[in-house]
Amino acid sequence: MQIDFSEKLKKLPPYLFIEIDKKKKQAKDQGVDVIDLGVGDPDIPTPDHIVEAANKAMRILDNQRYPFGVGLLEFRQAVADWYKKRFKVTLDPATEVVALAGSKEGIYHIHDAFVDPNDDVLVPEPGYPVYANGTVFAGGQNYFMPLKKENNFLPDLQAIPAAVAKKAALLFINYPNNPTAACTDKKLFEKVVKFAQRYNIIVCHDAAYSEMYYDGEKPASFLEVDGAKEVGIEFHSLSKTYCMTGWRIGWACGNAKVLQGLAKVKENVDSGVFQAVQYAGIAALTGDQECVDKMRKVFQERRDIFVGGLWKLNWKVDKPKASFYVWAEVPPRYTSMLCSSKLLEQAGIVATPGIGFGPSGEGYIRFALTQDKKLLQEALQRIEKIKWQK
Ligand SMILES: *Cc1c(COP(=O)(O)O)cnc(C)c1O
């Protein structure tokens, strides 16, 4: 029998990190001692008190059954309380919070709720691949908003043609940003609210890195801005904040009607987040936040070591104020793909070529600081020895 993938599936590029993982495995098989700075997956274990909460919850019969729905009210209340404390934003846990099996899941499914064929989706590039790939599955069209260094890696809303904006169903933004590590103040959010009101576009702000900030500079929530809750939602993840990537838990919050749409898609696709994992989430959000401080300290130290080291080697790179990514300009006469191959072949270092996040990522390479400082120092020593073509 002939087995054909759907046209939608054929349209999708191979998922970036799966491809990088393949290359990494090949290098390992050839005996290379690989230092993986590729995928943004914290190497720090989930704090004990969170694991313990899940451990306890797992033994309770109720938690072993279908969770169904938008999440335990207790989890959504924990989110609302955390939000109030962190951003001074009030959320109604009954209608303005939906639990997600990781924010990636919600970012994907929001398209199914609001994107019809021929609708546009406004997507930043370089960017997290799911914003655009979700559009392809929903049958819509992506309009890419380039993030350029000269604009501090913020989208230029004025450059979006009115005809595109009129057909747009969703607009994605993401600060602190992956992959550029750029941050924004509330001015961008204010502009986005006005733009969304003018063209009737639902705003989706991905705040996965809101807690991974340095030097005490706390990023703002999109929902802090006047009018934001009328036009959009914010995605959050426990993955990076509490080192819980494997657990699959996050949430979306904000506009109740938008969340209703997302919840309806989810009712038809999944049956909710494992309740023991939701209890772990409650423990994370309501427990001692010292573990988050510790996490920030670890990554800040690594950032200082790694960026400082790259500066000494004359790399052009800014010190990130948030996220655990270093977005560095590639050496002259290199494309991002060639730079990434060179790093792997001559130094055994896995890093992600900027082009993988979109055409405006060309000229950059992304290092994820997901190895301890000794290995980062080792990586720097290996980078020093690379013979770049002049
Ligand atoms: C890691 C990441 C996420 C998603 O994480 P989940 O584990 O699915 O919660 C979302 N957005 C960006 C930009 C990320 O880097």
Side-chain angles (χ1 to χ4, degrees), residues 333-355:
R333 276 178 281 285
Y334 276 81
T335 63
S336 64
M337 283 302 275
L338 277 173
C339 175
S340 121
S341 302
K342 192 92 171 173
L343 284 164
L344 186 59
E345 283 157 18
Q346 290 200 7
I349 294 168
V350 178
T352 314
I355 186 94

Side-chain angles (χ1 to χ4, degrees), residues 102-104 128 131 174 178 206 208-209 237 239-240 248 325:
S103 59
K104 180 181 183 180
Y128 188 60
Y131 313 139
N174 163 223
N178 177 11
D206 179 355
Y209 296 95
S237 170
S239 290
K240 318 284 163 51
R248 312 313 304 133
Y325 301 115

Side-chain angles (χ1 to χ4, degrees), residues 309-321:
L310 287 180
W311 281 345
K312 275 191 197 140
L313 302 176
N314 292 319
W315 281 62
K316 281 193 189 155
V317 54
D318 290 331
K319 208 179 239 195
K321 287 189 186 141

Side-chain angles (χ1 to χ4, degrees), residues 50-233:
I50 299 174
V51 178
E52 277 314 311
N55 225 337
K56 257 198 210 152
M58 225 162 14
R59 296 174 198 281
I60 295 167
L61 173 63
D62 228 23
N63 296 335
Q64 295 167 352
R65 310 185 68 198
Y66 280 125
F68 287 132
V70 293
L72 293 163
L73 186 59
E74 213 179 326
F75 174 75
R76 290 176 287 139
Q77 183 69 55
V79 167
D81 292 345
W82 180 88
Y83 233 77
K84 184 89 192 169
K85 233 192 208 163
R86 170 68 174 85
F87 299 117
K88 303 194 173 57
V89 170
T90 306
L91 295 172
D92 177 355
T95 57
E96 294 179 334
V97 182
V98 170
L100 300 171
S103 59
K104 180 181 183 180
E105 177 260 300
I107 291 168
Y108 175 84
H109 282 132
I110 194 75
H111 296 80
D112 280 335
F114 296 102
V115 179
D116 283 313
N118 295 319
D119 283 354
D120 287 328
V121 176
L122 307 177
V123 171
E125 71 82 12
Y128 188 60
V130 191
Y131 313 139
N133 293 350
T135 309
V136 174
F137 275 106
Q141 290 147 74
N142 288 304
Y143 177 87
F144 289 103
M145 305 178 288
L147 306 183
K148 303 274 195 190
K149 189 184 164 97
E150 60 263 32
N151 297 329
N152 299 315
F153 301 109
L154 305 180
D156 178 6
L157 300 175
Q158 306 247 299
I160 300 167
V164 171
K166 279 181 194 155
K167 287 200 308 149
L170 303 176
L171 183 161
F172 282 93
I173 44 172
N174 163 223
Y175 293 94
N177 185 257
N178 177 11
T180 68
C183 292
T184 182
D185 54 23
K186 285 186 214 162
K187 271 191 209 125
L188 173 73
F189 295 156
E190 282 160 6
K191 280 188 206 161
V192 164
V193 168
K194 284 212 184 88
F195 185 82
Q197 282 167 339
R198 180 159 169 211
Y199 292 108
N200 212 43
I201 304 172
I202 295 168
V203 176
C204 300
H205 180 233
D206 179 355
Y209 296 95
S210 71
E211 303 317 296
M212 206 173 245
Y213 56 81
Y214 308 116
D215 311 314
E217 283 184 54
K218 295 186 184 183
S221 160
F222 173 67
L223 298 178
E224 284 178 47
V225 165
D226 279 345
K229 213 195 268 177
E230 278 75 65
V231 300
I233 59 172

Side-chain angles (χ1 to χ4, degrees), residues 247-269:
W247 296 69
R248 312 313 304 133
I249 183 157
W251 73 84
C253 59
N255 186 282
K257 185 79 190 282
V258 173
L259 293 175
Q260 267 176 30
L262 178 59
K264 190 161 178 190
V265 174
K266 284 174 59 55
E267 280 162 20
N268 286 284
V269 176

